[in-house]
Amino acid sequence: MTNSSLLRCAAAFLVLSAYIWLFGITGVIEGDAPVAYADEGLETPRSEPEDSDEDEGFLSGTNLNINPVNDPKPTFADLPGNDSPALQEDYTAYADTIPFVPDSAEAEPAPIPVTTTTIPPPAATTPEPSPPAGDTDSGVTPPEVISAPEVTAALPPEGGIDIGVTPAETVVNPALAGRLTVQTSNGQVTDTALNIVSRIVQHEIGSSFHDEAIKAQAVAAYTYIMHYQSQGGVANAELASAASDKITGIVREVLGQAIYHEGSYIASVYYASSAGYTSSSANVWGGDIPYLRSVQTAFDKEHDPNYGLVAAFTPTDIRVAVLERTGINLTGDPAAWLRIINHVDTVYVGDMTVGGHTSFTRPDGREIPFTGRHFRDVMGTQKLRSAAFEFTYDSDTDRFTFTTYGYGHGVGLSQNGANILARHYGYDYKQILAFYYPGTTIQ
């Protein structure tokens, strides 16, 4: 081989080596594209989470743009002047279809209040709406629910506020210039109203929810903050580090709109999922609030990802939790430890006995009745996700099996329910809010 041939071979080898080296560096810099998970109406296959402490999250394998970790939801117990401890609610996005059969199949559904009509709901003219394009849902109308509550949408005075902002920002919404303060787990945060509400919505439900559900969440969050502010308080909320352009744009459309009852901001509490019915404030925290009464949500059974989840506990799990949090030592046959006495709001466990006790005493001396809500607190609100539950004990496997319906305290706006009403039944955000907060107005 001649010298020139050797030189050409060496040059080719150097070029090839440089190409491989550069390609490798590029791959490292750019990295692999992240796995994208399609949003299919939140009806995703479930992968069972491993046992974890209450401070740990559950969605390690399914990304629906929902932040399930340490997700405190507003509660009526948080309101100024109420000395009840706040409940911390979390939610996940696991699908299940275990049928729910209430103790009393004959129970009459709670009536759904109807407000004055100015915006006719789409379901009134389309009893069985077609599902959106690409949606595989059957479009079955939930019985006795899908005639939407009619909405009183108060119009701004002539020449009043325009809640939208043009691309050139020629129309100014005063709410955009306002600043809000919220109390987070890391301290108080003050920012523009747009940023605060957008970050709350991003943390609570993310971008995968229907636009109208996002609007409903935004108005509820803003109203809740203003409810506190109007009483000289600071609302509890958790914030995402930043909000997406989609969330910020949708929040901008409705920022400044709020929900009112008799001229005042309402306590617009919300949570992950209801259980075929929402809970009333009276049966959860005490105090009958007209717009926080139980509403039937029959569509949960078909569509809600938290309907019919199963959790297993050993007798030791229950014995330890009850002893640590109530001081009661459970002994004898585990089959006799727990008994449900009645239900409230149709499907939620009311009074019950634990080890024959109808109540327990806290270290501060306060006597607490055993109810479904308090037993859920004892077991952990992530482990027992709703006070709407039923259970069995199998002596052969020495296991308690709990089936829960819904996720959270159940009072007010169901976040997954809002998504269902928007996606499957064509509700807009005002109809969603009027449904979950009956007798209110939006302006």
Side-chain angles (χ1 to χ4, degrees), residues 109-267:
I112 300 175
V114 177
T115 56
T116 306
T117 303
T118 58
I119 301 177
T125 57
T126 310
E128 298 184 5
S130 300
D135 196 327
T136 58
D137 179 69
S138 62
V140 177
T141 302
E144 303 183 30
V145 176
I146 288 315
S147 19
E150 299 158 338
V151 182
T152 300
L155 298 176
E158 185 175 352
I161 297 172
D162 186 327
I163 61 168
V165 177
T166 65
E169 301 288 342
T170 56
V171 179
V172 177
N173 174 5
L176 291 173
R179 298 179 71 80
L180 299 175
T181 299
V182 294
Q183 181 68 45
T184 75
S185 56
N186 296 317
Q188 287 194 1
V189 175
T190 300
D191 201 346
T192 65
L194 180 61
N195 284 344
I196 289 288
V197 176
S198 297
R199 290 169 66 189
I200 290 174
V201 174
Q202 185 74 55
H203 175 84
E204 287 290 341
I205 60 176
S207 303
S208 66
F209 275 42
H210 192 284
D211 288 5
E212 295 301 314
I214 293 173
K215 291 177 186 178
Q217 175 66 77
V219 174
Y222 178 77
T223 302
Y224 190 74
I225 295 170
M226 296 304 294
H227 175 88
Y228 265 86
Q229 184 172 300
S230 68
Q231 299 188 38
V234 177
N236 289 327
E238 292 302 319
L239 308 175
S241 58
S244 68
D245 290 342
K246 175 183 176 180
I247 292 292
T248 302
I250 293 174
V251 170
R252 184 187 296 270
E253 292 181 39
V254 297
L255 188 65
Q257 294 187 49
I259 316 164
Y260 298 86
H261 181 260
E262 296 182 350
S264 299
Y265 295 108
I266 72 166

Side-chain angles (χ1 to χ4, degrees), residues 315-391:
T316 299
D317 293 333
I318 293 179
R319 181 188 294 111
V320 169
V322 170
L323 181 60
E324 288 182 348
R325 295 171 185 172
T326 72
I328 295 173
N329 186 23
L330 297 175
T331 60
D333 183 3
W337 286 357
L338 308 177
R339 185 167 70 91
I340 295 173
I341 298 174
N342 57 37
H343 290 80
V344 295
D345 297 326
T346 307
V347 295
Y348 296 87
V349 173
D351 298 318
M352 60 183 298
T353 61
V354 177
H357 296 267
T358 59
S359 64
F360 64 96
T361 304
R362 284 183 173 167
D364 61 6
R366 184 180 176 191
E367 192 76 9
I368 304 297
F370 269 122
T371 63
R373 172 211 160 186
H374 289 131
F375 182 72
R376 178 182 179 231
D377 292 342
V378 167
M379 294 306 300
T381 57
Q382 290 185 10
K383 296 174 182 176
L384 196 61
R385 298 178 182 178
S386 169
F389 61 79
E390 54 197 14
F391 68 90

